[in-house]
Amino acid sequence: MDEPINIFKALSDATRLKIIWLLTNMDEKICVSEIVEVLNEYQYNVSRHLKILKHAKLVEEVKEGKWVYYYLTPIKNEFRQLIQEAIKTIPESQMNNEIQKCKKLLAERHK
Amino acid sequence: MDEPINIFKALSDATRLKIIWLLTNMDEKICVSEIVEVLNEYQYNVSRHLKILKHAKLVEEVKEGKWVYYYLTPIKNEFRQLIQEAIKTIPESQMNNEIQKCKKLLAERHK
DNA sequence: ATTTCATATGTACAAAAACACATATGTTAA
DNA sequence: TTAACATATGTGTTTTTGTACATATGAAAT
């Protein structure tokens, strides 16, 4: 019962849900400063929210030089699977311009 | 974005998740006093939690004499559908004895 | 009509969560 | 080695959420 509650709690905040939504839809790992820019949120808040998501085992991190990249924890149970699918159904339109912003950022990154 | 957040928030409390879990697994409408007895929670707390679930549009109510029965709001979108399925995967074992208690109660009701 | 039962809610308080500012840590670049 | 950058965290404050007690409302039973 605790695992689902922690997951629901982690997803019940706009910033955190947006982060998960981004990771889900970008299908790529994203670093803190990119999230900060895309969501237009303070860096310290993003870091704190990421910590909560990590604690709920929704994301994991990998350090590369100065950057810390976050990505969705690989799915290992049906509950997580269904939650992920539910998040996928949240339409892009509800993310306003965040998604375009993020796409642009990631595109530049690959140059 | 708000609808999913409200749903996640509604489900991120043990009492509320248990109520939804019961309604999901009993597949029957349940009245407040039954929930109170099964979950061994104060009546006023159960009422308040039900109000939050109603506000998140997860449940609806129907009044029958002295009793108010609550039931899952009929599913009308994919998001809700997937969330419901996710809740279904939460194993009975994690509900301790609540489920047996509830089955007993409902059985007696039909006599 | 009064009591009893089922449910809801006002109010006060406590606990938890979110936020802001400053600052620390660690890494790369100059 | 110093400066600049990326990220994390300590601390204080505000906001939100959950809980408890008392009480209100409304329906059924006596």
Side-chain angles (χ1 to χ4, degrees), chain A residues 57-69:
Chain A
K57 300 205 172 125
L58 288 171
V59 303
E60 292 177 356
E61 59 187 281
V62 58
K63 200 169 180 178
E64 291 183 16
K66 283 200 286 193
W67 295 273
V68 179
Y69 289 88

Side-chain angles (χ1 to χ4, degrees), chain B residues 31-52:
Chain B
C31 72
V32 180
S33 50
E34 287 168 334
I35 297 173
V36 167
E37 186 168 349
V38 169
L39 299 188
N40 201 34
E41 187 44 89
Y42 290 112
Q43 178 269 315
Y44 49 77
N45 283 338
V46 170
S47 275
R48 287 231 159 80
H49 284 305
L50 284 167
K51 197 179 182 178
I52 291 170

Side-chain angles (χ1 to χ4, degrees), chain A residues 1-2 4-5 8-9 11-14 17-18 21 78-79 82-83 85-87 89-90 94-95, chain B residues 1-2 4-5 8-9 11-14 17-18 21 78-79 82-83 85-87 89-90 94-95:
Chain A
M1 196 101 225
D2 285 352
I5 289 179
F8 286 135
K9 202 171 288 190
L11 296 172
S12 67
D13 169 272
L17 185 52
K18 282 179 186 173
W21 190 93
E78 209 186 340
F79 182 82
L82 290 163
I83 294 298
E85 284 175 30
I87 292 170
T89 71
I90 302 176
Q94 294 194 31
M95 281 293 285
Chain B
M1 197 101 224
D2 285 352
I5 290 178
F8 286 135
K9 203 171 289 192
L11 296 172
S12 67
D13 169 272
L17 185 53
K18 281 180 186 172
W21 190 93
E78 210 187 339
F79 181 83
L82 289 163
I83 294 298
E85 284 175 30
I87 292 170
T89 72
I90 302 175
Q94 295 195 28
M95 281 293 284

